[in-house]
Each structure stands twice: as C-alpha cells, then as structure tokens.
Amino acid sequence: MERIVSALTRPSVGSIRCMPQFKLATRGGHRAHPESFLNASSSNYIDEMYEQWSKDPQSVHKSWDLYFRHQHYQRPPTLGVTPPPPALLQYYQMTGFTQQQPVSMVPQHQSHLQPMSGYGTGVQELPLDRKAIQDHMAVQALVRSYQMRGHKIAQLDPLGLSSVDLDSERPNDLTYTFYNFSEADLDRKFALPPITFIGGQEKELTLREIIRRLEDVYCQTIGLEYMYINSYEKCNWIRQRFEDQAQRKLGVKDIERAVKRLIRASKFEDYLKRKWSSEKRFGLEGCEALIPAMKMVIDTAANQGVDTVIMGMPHRGRLNVLANVTRKPLEELFCQFDPKLEPSDVSGSGDVKYHLGTCIERLNRASNTNVKFALVANPSHLEAVDPVVQGKTRAEQFYRGDKFGDKAMSILLHGDAAFAGQGVVYETFHLSDLPAYTTHGTIHIICNNQIGFTTDPRMARSSPYCTDVARVVNAPIFHVNADDVDSVLHVAKVAAEWRCTFKKDVVIDLVCYRRHGHNETDEPMYTQPFMYKKIHKQPPVLKKWVDKLISEGTIKREWYEAEEAKYDKILNDAFTNSKSPAYAKDKNWLDSPWKNFFTGKG
C-alpha cells in the first residue's frame, strides 16, 4: 500500500491536483524519506474518495476509478471489507459457490487492516472457496485445450497408419492430471463454462462426462481448427454446430439420398475399371465420399438461394465429378474412351478427357430449384485454375448485380501435396477479402490421400497439416476421416452454412487414401509397399457404411440392392448408346458456352 502508482492505474496529471501534496522533508541539505502515504491526513482523503466512488464510480476521476476497481485499495475498518472485483462476483453467481466458513478477501500481508469485531460492514462479505474456484477454472482451461488442440489426436487416417499432422505425441494439456485432478475427481460435478455447448440443456456434468463428450466432439473422426479466428461470434457458431449433438443428426431421407450418391460414385469407378482397365482415368477410389460431400454442399447452398456453382479441380476424380455432380451425360464420357478417337476429334479442345470441363443447368431435387454448374477446364498444372475460377465467379456476380455472393458461389477442389506446395494457392487466398476481387467466400475441399505422386508428406512439407496455408485468412479448417460418411456429410453441411452465413472461405480436409497408383498404370508397391499392403486389405467405404446402416436398421438391404441394380442398368444403357457417332463430336466440354462461339466449318 506504500506505492499506489502502477503501470495500469497511475493517476493522470490532471488528477494529481486533486490529490494531497506530498512534501519531502530535508535534513542537513539531504532529502529525507517522503511522508508516508497512509498518514493521518492522506488516508482520510482516500477514504473519502473511496466512499464517494462506492456510491457513484463516475463521480471521481478515471484514475481513481481504475485504482479502486483493480483492488489496489484496502478499505478501512469503518467501511468494511473490500468486495471482490465484479468479474469474480459474476463468476460466483454463475457457479453458485458456497462454503461453510467464509474466508476474507484481504491478503495475509494486510491482515492488520481487517475489520475488528464490533465494527459494521458496508458491503456483505461473500463466501469464497479458493479450491473450488481453481477447480472450476481448471475445467474451463481443459475445455479450451480440447477446442484448440483436440484435432491433434483425432482419428483422421482411414488406414490408421500415421498422424495426419505428422506428430504422434498427445498434448499434455489434454489430460486431466495436467490440471491437478486425480481419479477421485472424475465423478465430481462441475458447472459448465459458457464457452461450450457440450451440456445441451444440462448446466453441470461430472468431470468424467465432460471429458467423454469433449473426446467425442474433438478427437474422433472430425478434427477442428478454428480457435485462431478473431471473432467470438464465429467461434461460438462453430462450437454450437459441432458440440451440440442434436445438430449432427441426419434425417432418413438425407441418408438415403447420400447412399444413392455413394453408390453412383463407387459403381462409376468400378465400371470404368472393368471396361477400360488399361486406360488412365485418375480415379477417385479411396475418396468416393467426395461426391456425397460436394452434393451436400450444393444442396445446403441451394436451399439458401445459391443458383450458380462454379468449380475448379485437378484431374483426380474429374470424370466422377462430371458424371455424378454436374450430371454430364454418361454417353458423352464413355465415347471419349473409344481407342479410335483422337483428342483433336473433340471439337475445339485437343485435350484429354480428364482435363475437360462442362456447363450444365439442371434441377436440384433437394432444394427444388434450378442450379447452373460450371466445371472449369484445367491442364495438368493442378492449382493453376484457382484464380480462373475466382475471376469467373466474380464476373458472374458483377454482371448479375450479386453484391454479396448470395446467388453465385465457387468451390475449389485440391490435392494435399499441391495445396501445400503451390504458391498460387496462397496468392488466391489473399484475394479472398479484397474489395475488388472477393467472391464472398469459397469452399475448398481437399482430397488428402496422404501422398504426392510418390512423395510421403514428411518429405513434402514443413507444416503440420497440408491445410495450414488457409490460416492466413482466418478460414476455419475441418479435417474429417473420409471413411466416416456421416461425419463427412455433417462437415460438408456446416461448411456450406458457414459460407452462406459469413461469406468467408472455409476448408474441408477429406483425409483418405489412393487405392491405385498415381494413375491406373502405375504400381505403387515399389515406392509405398507398407501403405499399399494396408490399402489392399481396406474394405471400400460404400460397403462399410451400408453394412453399418443396415445393422442399425436405418435402411434395408433389399432397398440398397435395388438401387445398386438400377444404377448398373443406367451404366450399361449409356455404354450401348455411347457407340453412336452423334456423341463423338460434342461441344459440351465448354465451361462458358455462348451462342455463335463455333460458326461455319471447323
């Protein structure tokens, strides 16, 4: 109490005039010690200031307000015990702490200022249980640690071979012993802090149940990175979407629709492999969940008013996206596998089938609205298409007067190695919020098959995740195990809602594997023998998910087999029709068609 001046609460020059003047006594020409701050005159003055402040904080200078507010002043015995700060009072009310024997707020070194018996108190002394406060604060810190670092121990790899963030260590702060809890504390109940939604309608849970629910949300097949976002509102929005289990449930119709889409994605690849086994097609096997994920994104956005979706992607999975997302006629795709057909035979393109795009408008059954799909053609340079898609989307929004991106939206697909390795990705992210270039949010989906051609991630990047470049624009990143289709669908839905709500970029990291080599003629056992031994034993995601749904009683096996047979017939009919010469010279590869583009001959 001898020094009232601190870095935070030093009284301003203007207030010094109102404070008692402390004169230095001199003795023999030398300065003596200054007058004690709490002598009879100055202490009375401060008591008066405090009494005035306690009635109305605005009636004193701001420096005195800060001084009293931050507990630098001990009330004299006649005024009672200094009350706790407002934040602590609020915490008491929230947690409902009680204690049999009240403990004084006065620090031990100031015990000589505690009120003597017989003196009245101006403010009622509140009960204080220091151990309870520490434990509740520790629970809040534990919750926050899971929200920040739970993704580091999430089960993201479908193969179970490695940690996706290249670090197999479990963070110390994700264990209850780090916070001085023992096993005996696991069944104690704690009030849930306001930064979490794991309780639902419950206000308090046992420590054991708190940890279990946090593990279910943050450490299973979804890994969330969002706590670096500089907005409490946005962080809370994400927490609520993932921590509230009621929001993760899908209706039976949604599940059946997703099963049909996964059937199409899987059986399309099987059919191409069976008919053209030696052809390069850069198939999607190992990441078939991409198709229902993209369709869920489009359905959710279309329900919120989006009617134009412009997409860019590399060659991996392009034929499947053309067939099952844009619904380009299968006959036009199959005819391009004709060995007699040269690339130059396709009108105006001169390129291979897995580099071409399309533009199609059709009915979206989930929203019952027409949606235009444009898949931009892309050469082998993987990410070169990113700024092209953004420019095309921006132009669409500009000419339609779509000032906030409510009608036109972009989706960019990436490979894990290219997303981390190509500079154009970083450059495109930095266009995302510029007034003259923004497209009001892009949904990025990464087919993370954990390999770049033949390069292991540990030899390909220095960052923990391939997605870390997206953190520069505060984009939330949702890692998800692509073999858990339920989680994939939930993540896709939340990502689309985020984009439509906040008009900001978002990243979905589909952690999957590549069932074959870089292309179907490569033999990956030479370069990744351990990984591919595991892949050869891995059941397809369609079989895993359908078996789970049938065992739960969500769908019936007869229904599934009927849907499978229906799509097989569609494929066979399209193959038969594709032999017609009418499909060989098509112009449907154009991603921006307009009238009279081709005129006359040639």
Side-chain angles (χ1 to χ4, degrees):
M1 291 301 294
E2 292 293 331
R3 300 173 60 191
I4 66 168
V5 182
S6 70
L8 180 62
T9 61
R10 182 179 292 118
S12 65
V13 175
S15 66
I16 295 296
R17 298 189 185 95
C18 304
M19 297 175 66
Q21 302 298 309
F22 304 122
K23 298 179 180 179
L24 292 176
T26 58
R27 185 180 298 113
H30 298 286
R31 290 190 175 186
H33 291 292
E35 180 182 359
S36 171
F37 176 69
L38 284 180
N39 68 6
S41 59
S42 61
S43 62
N44 289 339
Y45 175 76
I46 297 174
D47 292 347
E48 291 172 7
M49 292 292 288
Y50 178 81
E51 194 168 5
Q52 188 177 345
W53 173 81
S54 62
K55 295 175 182 176
D56 180 10
Q58 301 296 324
S59 64
V60 299
H61 190 272
K62 186 176 181 181
S63 57
W64 283 113
D65 180 36
L66 287 172
Y67 174 65
F68 294 132
R69 192 181 298 276
H70 288 84
Q71 292 291 298
H72 290 282
Y73 173 66
Q74 176 59 48
R75 311 175 88 205
T78 55
L79 294 178
V81 180
T82 308
L88 194 56
L89 288 171
Q90 185 180 2
Y91 193 74
Y92 288 158
Q93 294 166 1
M94 180 184 74
T95 54
F97 289 143
T98 57
Q99 182 183 327
Q100 297 297 325
Q101 298 296 327
V103 179
S104 172
M105 284 293 296
V106 183
Q108 291 182 357
H109 69 276
Q110 295 176 0
S111 58
H112 63 282
L113 292 176
Q114 292 184 17
M116 299 171 59
S117 59
Y119 283 97
T121 56
V123 178
Q124 184 179 359
E125 185 175 356
L126 287 174
L128 174 65
D129 185 340
R130 294 184 187 280
K131 178 67 165 66
I133 291 179
Q134 289 173 352
D135 287 350
H136 279 75
M137 297 300 284
V139 168
Q140 180 161 334
L142 176 66
V143 170
R144 196 169 190 84
S145 292
Y146 271 97
Q147 291 170 343
M148 292 181 69
R149 281 177 288 280
H151 59 86
K152 294 182 70 65
I153 56 172
Q155 300 165 22
L156 299 176
D157 183 7
L159 303 175
L161 292 178
S162 61
S163 177
V164 177
D165 69 342
L166 311 183
D167 182 6
S168 58
E169 295 292 324
R170 183 186 179 99
N172 290 335
D173 56 347
L174 297 184
T175 56
Y176 63 86
T177 54
F178 180 82
Y179 303 94
N180 295 322
F181 287 122
S182 65
E183 195 169 341
D185 293 314
L186 290 175
D187 293 317
R188 283 175 58 197
K189 282 196 170 185
F190 293 91
L192 292 170
I195 60 168
T196 185
F197 295 89
I198 59 171
Q201 300 300 317
E202 299 174 87
K203 300 299 182 185
E204 56 179 34
L205 295 170
T206 63
L207 180 59
R208 189 189 307 277
E209 182 63 13
I210 290 171
I211 294 172
R212 187 192 70 78
R213 295 192 187 189
L214 290 171
E215 291 270 345
D216 284 348
V217 173
Y218 291 101
C219 306
Q220 298 304 312
T221 53
I222 297 176
L224 302 175
E225 288 189 275
Y226 67 94
M227 290 293 284
Y228 47 81
I229 297 174
N230 302 319
S231 166
Y232 181 79
E233 176 199 1
K234 291 174 183 175
C235 287
N236 243 18
W237 188 94
I238 292 173
R239 288 187 196 109
Q240 191 165 15
R241 295 302 183 282
F242 286 98
E243 293 183 353
D244 184 355
Q245 294 300 308
Q247 301 210 26
R248 297 188 61 172
K249 293 179 181 177
L250 288 171
V252 176
K253 286 186 177 180
D254 291 328
I255 291 174
E256 288 180 348
R257 189 183 293 121
V259 170
K260 292 178 184 178
R261 290 165 174 174
L262 194 56
I263 288 172
R264 287 174 172 269
S266 302
K267 296 304 175 183
F268 178 79
E269 297 291 353
D270 290 346
Y271 194 81
L272 295 184
K273 181 181 177 182
R274 197 163 64 244
K275 289 292 184 181
W276 299 281
S277 57
S278 61
E279 279 277 340
K280 288 182 182 180
R281 53 188 168 81
F282 296 95
L284 200 57
E285 292 101 325
C287 193
E288 295 95 336
L290 171 69
I291 301 304
M294 290 183 70
K295 298 286 280 183
M296 176 62 83
V297 166
I298 292 165
D299 289 351
T300 306
N303 274 319
Q304 300 205 27
V306 172
D307 60 19
T308 301
V309 179
I310 299 167
M311 298 174 284
M313 66 180 297
H315 44 274
R316 170 89 45 215
R318 178 177 287 262
L319 296 178
N320 210 318
V321 170
L322 284 168
N324 294 312
V325 177
T326 70
R327 291 294 184 91
K328 183 174 182 176
L330 293 172
E331 292 85 351
E332 295 176 7
L333 291 171
F334 290 163
C335 78
Q336 293 177 30
F337 283 93
D338 186 346
K340 299 175 185 176
L341 193 68
E342 296 293 331
S344 58
D345 291 336
V346 181
S347 277
S349 86
D351 207 345
V352 289
K353 51 191 166 290
Y354 43 79
H355 287 172
L356 302 180
T358 193
C359 184
I360 292 175
E361 185 171 349
R362 65 178 183 81
L363 179 69
N364 178 270
R365 297 191 182 279
S367 63
N368 202 32
T369 59
N370 279 335
V371 177
K372 184 175 80 172
F373 299 93
L375 178 62
V376 178
N378 187 23
S380 293
H381 297 288
L382 301 177
E383 303 290 344
V385 76
D386 297 356
V388 178
V389 169
Q390 301 297 60
K392 184 176 171 61
T393 307
R394 175 73 182 190
E396 182 91 23
Q397 293 171 350
F398 176 80
Y399 285 111
R400 293 183 58 181
D402 184 13
K403 293 183 179 180
F404 302 105
D406 296 320
K407 298 297 181 184
M409 180 183 82
S410 56
I411 299 177
L412 285 174
L413 274 61
H414 312 266
D416 55 316
F419 196 74
Q422 291 196 244
V424 69
V425 176
Y426 179 82
E427 293 163 2
T428 305
F429 266 114
H430 273 288
L431 297 175
S432 63
D433 274 342
L434 300 184
Y437 295 90
T438 181
T439 57
H440 307 286
T442 299
I443 297 174
H444 301 263
I445 305 177
I446 300 171
C447 291
N448 183 357
N449 52 36
Q450 308 179 79
I451 191 169
F453 194 6
T454 59
T455 305
D456 184 275
R458 290 168 180 79
M459 306 300 160
R461 66 175 188 263
S462 298
S463 63
Y465 292 104
C466 66
T467 55
D468 286 339
V469 64
R471 295 168 68 113
V472 299
V473 293
N474 277 341
I477 301 167
F478 306 146
H479 309 277
V480 59
N481 185 323
D483 268 16
D484 183 355
V485 185
D486 295 292
S487 293
V488 170
L489 295 173
H490 179 62
V491 161
K493 182 181 179 184
V494 173
E497 290 174 346
W498 166 276
R499 189 271 169 194
C500 292
T501 302
F502 298 108
K503 305 299 171 63
K504 299 288 185 183
D505 284 29
V506 58
V507 178
I508 301 172
D509 179 21
L510 281 178
V511 184
C512 55
Y513 57 91
R514 190 184 67 195
R515 189 167 286 278
H516 305 295
H518 179 65
N519 64 61
E520 285 67 29
T521 61
D522 289 340
E523 178 47 74
M525 284 294 287
Y526 289 124
T527 52
Q528 274 79 28
F530 184 64
M531 173 184 271
Y532 275 85
K533 282 180 183 176
K534 184 77 173 177
I535 288 175
H536 291 158
K537 298 176 183 176
Q538 187 80 356
V541 62
L542 176 63
K543 182 180 186 311
K544 288 171 68 174
W545 194 42
V546 166
D547 287 349
K548 171 178 172 285
L549 293 174
I550 291 173
S551 66
E552 293 172 350
T554 307
I555 63 172
K556 296 185 180 299
R557 184 169 295 279
E558 296 77 15
W559 175 86
Y560 164 71
E561 290 173 350
E563 290 296 328
E564 205 174 30
K566 188 189 300 183
Y567 189 61
D568 278 338
K569 184 177 185 307
I570 291 172
L571 291 169
N572 286 320
D573 291 346
F575 176 71
T576 303
N577 296 335
S578 69
K579 297 177 181 178
S580 166
Y583 290 108
K585 301 267 186 184
D586 70 273
K587 302 182 183 69
N588 287 335
W589 63 270
L590 290 172
D591 53 58
S592 302
W594 61 85
K595 292 179 181 179
N596 301 323
F597 184 79
F598 292 103
T599 57
K601 298 180 180 179

